[in-house]
Amino acid sequence: MTVQPLPTDARPGLLSRLRRFDEVLGMNGRNDRIARDNPFRSVQLVNDKHATKTALLAVGAPTAPTLALVRSRRDLLALDWAGLGSSWALKPNQGLGGGGILLATEADTDAEPGGAWRTGSGRRITRADVVDHARFVLDGEYSGRPRDAALFEPLIRTHPDLERLSYQGLPDVRVLCLDDRPVLAMMRLPTAGSGGRANLHQGAVGAAVDLASGEVTGAWSGRRPMTHHPDTGVELIGARVPDWAGVLDAASRCGPATGLRYVGADVVVDRAAGPLVLEVNARPGLQIQNVTGNGLRGLIEPAA
Amino acid sequence: MSRTTAQSTDAGGELPDRASPRRLSAAGRVVVAVAAFALLLAAFVFSPRTDVSRDPDAVIGTQELVRISGPDGSVEVMARIDTGASSSSIDDDIAEDLGFDLDDAETVTVASSLGREERPVVRGGLQLAGGTDPARFTVTDRSERSTEALIGRADLRGVQVVVGQRMLTTPGAETAPSAVRTLLSEGPALGPQSLLAVLPLAALVMVLLRVVVGVSTLGTFSPVLLAFGYTQAGLTLGLVLTLAMLALGLAAQPLLRRFRLPRVARLSVLIGLVTLLLLIAQHATGLSGAADSWGAALPVVVTAVIIERLWEVWDLDGPRSAVTDAAVTLAVAVLVTLLVLAPATRLLAETAPLPFTLACVLAAGWAGTYRGLRLVELVRFSSFSRTEAFR
């Protein structure tokens, strides 16, 4: 499954271009599919990161362990700060769109253990800063609801093969699965423009990944095809996702674990732990069609 | 937790007929759907103007523009339509300008809300909505009143007066003004009853814009509420005020961020700021004439929520997306305003509110079953359409 931007003199005619839209699954079709195939309980489940991780672990899907789950201010007072270690990620348990995540990449050596850390950009954060942030998380600031919990996880360190392809941030592999069958895959590579975020509409590069081999076959930034990373100049075409079989296996367990039949699995590859499911999406986006050059309509509703 | 049965029903449900090569392509279908929608909109907005000449069915509001003629010419003034007054009256300055001889005129004693008064009476012409009729005016100092003329029962034979509304009839014109003209005028153009009646249509338009065109606005129905505000405040004033409120909200953002207020407090402060701006604007423009209700008409809470959304988009997707979303929201609001003010819409909504509402509800439900592409997706997937897949 590869995609090739055609040379200008061989562009398909208008009629065949129009016909090509028949393969595209639009927002309306997707929403219909989700309403039919993704039960309400499952959608609720994947909105809760901690509950999702429990469900994933139950079917043997790899995911980051939980360092601490802070459900209340009382929990926050009783938190074992030294037990967090030198690097961690603090996430709103029911966060929306990746907002409100605080990352500590190393311990501040001048402070006692569990007293202060540094973020990826080198900014110093003290325990008081973290408490402050956690209070906001508990108040549902990033979750669109009145209350939430704060989740501490060990910091994921990207596999060097993937780190090489990205500009800062955490690149991941989005695998779209129907039931437990992976149908399309792409890598999402943060750029300077995306501010380290792996969201395509914020400027991250989308790289089509061949399902059979785990090899990058094409890359897009928005509507612009490219072969090299726009910030680092590293060639993307031909790059391979490390432990591809492990990534596909992790992704294909997300449906059975959560009860979702149309599911987007975000898998990261940690340099020590290997593939880990970062997030399970009950409403995965449609941009993967542009990136991979494959329409979802044909995959979902095979021609009779 | 494991998945239940239903594994083999993947291709179940209603498959589109793929066998026929003559079937309209997905791209073609969305274009046809959008064209039909646009045609329907245009039919409403540019609908034939309703006849308001002075036949027994003529309908006017409680404040209309009239033309008064005297020996030296005629003048157009805003008049209050008052069926509680027996005769009509005009301001003494107008009477002098029109060349009426006030000194030798007969006088009558009039009991008005200001007490008993001896007034000169003059005979001239009155043009209201349709044709001109002779009329009798008492002359008094109306400089302290809201309008320079008052039309009483004697000159309102055969017309129906709708209380609390301006029909915006033009003297001499045989027709009601178009939606565009109504929109650009000041003052409430729709009464509460009519607003209620056109609400389902506005909601239907939002469904079509979302599902068929793919327009996304800051808040699903916020354009409708803005539009209803514009029907009360007039478009120019409404738009200017909305833009000012959005700008103020954006300017206040850094300050509110610094205090790290929770959402409910942030929204409260924004509501307060928006209200403050409206109050100041209302004060500055002077509470004159028909404009006395527009401050309350603009949706304050919705505007505050729009501002909050605007911040979120600004943060997540950058200023360009934020500005685009705000512009789209305002454009949709203007479109909805045009639609609900269109003579055809008002006629339908006011004469047959029940069938009209039912039709809108059914149409909204039917539009919701559209599963094809949205118009904007033809752009979104344009690069896809230029590539070939090899599988």
Side-chain angles (χ1 to χ4, degrees):
Chain A
M1 186 189 317
T2 64
V3 55
Q4 282 185 359
L6 299 180
T8 28
D9 55 341
R11 287 266 163 95
L14 181 67
L15 260 183
S16 62
R17 275 187 67 182
L18 285 181
R19 282 289 168 203
R20 189 101 159 92
F21 280 109
D22 290 355
E23 301 164 34
V24 173
L25 181 71
M27 208 54 105
N28 296 325
R30 185 204 72 164
N31 291 346
D32 181 45
R33 173 85 191 185
I34 288 172
R36 236 173 32 196
D37 288 353
N38 287 352
F40 179 65
R41 290 216 154 271
S42 304
V43 176
Q44 266 190 323
L45 172 73
V46 298
N47 285 338
D48 183 328
K49 290 191 174 65
H50 188 253
T52 306
K53 289 207 289 186
T54 310
L56 287 171
L57 291 172
V59 299
T63 181
T66 301
L67 291 175
L69 180 66
V70 178
R71 293 184 189 274
S72 64
R73 287 168 192 239
R74 185 178 298 176
D75 285 2
L76 196 58
L77 287 175
L79 187 64
D80 172 18
W81 292 95
L84 292 179
S86 58
S87 64
W88 43 258
L90 165 56
K91 300 175 179 175
N93 190 41
Q94 310 202 36
L96 303 169
I101 296 178
L102 185 67
L103 302 176
T105 53
E106 57 183 341
D108 186 39
T109 44
D110 299 337
E112 54 179 305
W117 298 265
R118 292 199 179 275
T119 67
S121 59
R123 187 168 61 90
R124 185 172 185 270
I125 44 170
T126 63
R127 191 187 289 184
D129 293 332
V130 180
V131 168
D132 228 27
H133 187 79
R135 284 213 184 112
F136 262 79
V137 170
L138 290 177
D139 287 342
E141 178 69 25
Y142 308 104
S143 323
R145 52 175 63 229
R147 289 187 54 74
D148 196 6
L151 184 68
F152 285 93
E153 289 178 353
L155 187 73
I156 289 164
R157 295 190 189 272
T158 309
H159 192 283
D161 289 4
L162 289 185
E163 193 175 31
R164 190 176 72 80
L165 302 177
S166 160
Y167 178 83
Q168 298 179 338
L170 181 61
D172 67 6
V173 187
R174 159 66 60 87
V175 184
L176 193 84
C177 300
L178 301 177
D179 296 318
D180 49 5
R181 180 170 58 97
V183 291
L184 291 178
M186 67 171 169
M187 262 202 287
R188 303 186 299 178
L189 309 169
T191 62
S194 79
R197 288 170 295 197
N199 280 339
L200 294 184
H201 78 279
Q202 287 167 342
V205 169
V209 179
D210 179 40
L211 271 186
S213 63
E215 192 177 308
V216 173
T217 56
W220 296 81
S221 174
R223 264 177 254 155
R224 217 172 57 246
M226 49 183 49
T227 54
H228 296 72
H229 193 285
D231 302 315
T232 62
V234 171
E235 181 166 18
L236 300 174
I237 311 293
R240 276 174 188 279
V241 177
D243 195 0
W244 180 241
V247 171
L248 282 187
D249 180 63
S252 56
R253 288 172 194 264
C254 290
T258 58
L260 297 173
R261 303 188 56 205
Y262 178 82
V263 55
D266 292 348
V267 184
V268 293
V269 186
D270 186 79
R271 61 181 62 181
L276 297 173
V277 175
L278 186 67
E279 202 177 329
V280 180
N281 292 285
R283 309 178 64 82
L286 298 169
Q287 198 61 18
I288 198 167
Q289 301 177 101
N290 268 334
V291 171
T292 62
N294 279 284
L296 273 169
R297 188 174 285 276
L299 295 171
I300 284 177
E301 298 164 348
Chain B
M1 189 192 303
S2 76
R3 197 176 53 256
T4 46
T5 53
Q7 296 223 332
S8 56
T9 58
D10 207 3
E14 58 284 78
L15 279 180
D17 175 21
R18 272 165 196 286
S20 156
R22 286 189 173 263
R23 197 176 58 88
L24 196 55
S25 80
R29 254 181 306 170
V30 60
V31 170
V32 169
V34 171
F37 176 38
L39 204 69
L40 196 69
L41 272 184
F44 266 102
V45 172
F46 302 106
S47 53
R49 300 158 171 204
T50 39
D51 189 1
V52 293
S53 59
R54 266 178 105 180
D55 58 59
D57 292 333
V59 178
I60 60 174
T62 44
Q63 206 172 69
E64 300 291 346
L65 208 55
V66 298
R67 179 170 290 278
I68 293 164
S69 44
D72 289 355
S74 66
V75 64
E76 253 180 37
V77 294
M78 189 60 80
R80 195 149 75 83
I81 311 299
D82 185 358
T83 52
S86 56
S87 60
S88 306
S89 92
I90 53 173
D91 187 58
D92 46 7
D93 285 344
I94 293 181
E96 276 167 28
D97 288 349
L98 291 177
F100 287 116
D101 181 8
L102 297 181
D103 298 330
D104 296 335
E106 56 171 308
T107 59
V108 292
T109 307
V110 179
S112 77
S113 53
L114 298 178
R116 285 187 165 275
E117 192 186 359
E118 192 92 338
R119 289 184 189 173
V121 177
V122 296
R123 283 166 204 285
L126 171 66
Q127 199 171 34
L128 170 63
T132 311
D133 290 304
R136 205 167 144 265
F137 302 101
T138 63
V139 180
T140 182
D141 179 13
R142 293 186 58 85
S143 57
E144 297 293 311
R145 307 300 192 89
S146 59
T147 57
E148 291 173 300
L150 178 139
I151 310 300
R153 279 197 301 281
D155 299 304
L156 292 172
R157 273 182 300 273
V159 296
Q160 293 182 39
V161 179
V162 183
V163 176
Q165 207 162 351
R166 274 179 73 192
M167 289 305 191
L168 298 150
T169 52
T170 313
E174 294 275 303
T175 58
S178 71
V180 181
R181 212 188 104 95
T182 312
L183 199 56
L184 292 175
S185 73
E186 286 174 16
L190 280 181
Q193 206 64 42
S194 316
L195 276 182
L196 185 64
V198 295
L199 184 59
L201 179 72
L204 168 64
V205 171
M206 296 311 295
V207 174
L208 289 171
L209 282 177
R210 173 70 65 97
V211 172
V212 181
V213 183
V215 169
S216 69
T217 52
L218 299 162
T220 311
F221 287 104
S222 56
V224 174
L225 293 165
L226 282 179
F228 281 21
Y230 296 162
T231 64
Q232 305 301 298
L235 183 68
T236 328
L237 190 64
L239 268 184
V240 166
L241 279 174
T242 308
L243 285 173
M245 291 189 284
L246 292 187
L248 181 72
L250 277 180
Q253 181 185 19
L255 198 68
L256 288 178
R257 281 284 159 88
R258 177 171 314 169
F259 291 110
R260 306 191 61 173
L261 296 177
R263 188 178 134 89
V264 59
R266 260 194 332 252
L267 274 176
S268 305
V269 173
L270 280 176
I271 289 172
L273 282 177
V274 167
T275 312
L276 201 66
L277 186 80
L278 279 178
L279 286 176
I280 292 172
Q282 204 159 25
H283 216 73
T285 53
L287 309 142
S288 63
D292 52 3
S293 66
W294 56 258
L298 285 177
V300 172
V301 177
V302 168
T303 309
V305 173
I306 290 178
I307 293 172
E308 247 252 301
R309 291 260 185 147
L310 200 58
W311 290 3
E312 274 169 25
V313 177
W314 191 295
D315 276 357
L316 280 175
D317 304 334
R320 182 189 278 211
S321 298
V323 170
T324 311
D325 283 9
V328 168
T329 305
L330 290 188
V332 172
V334 171
L335 182 74
V336 173
T337 318
L338 265 176
L339 186 70
V340 300
L341 286 184
T345 315
R346 296 171 66 174
L347 191 72
L348 272 176
E350 282 162 21
T351 52
L354 283 181
F356 181 67
T357 305
L358 204 61
C360 288
V361 169
L362 288 177
W366 178 68
T369 64
Y370 177 73
R371 301 277 181 261
L373 293 178
R374 301 174 177 179
L375 187 67
V376 294
E377 284 170 344
L378 293 187
V379 178
R380 180 176 178 191
F381 294 107
S382 63
S383 60
F384 177 92
S385 75
R386 254 182 257 117
T387 60
E388 300 265 19
F390 305 95
R391 304 193 63 207

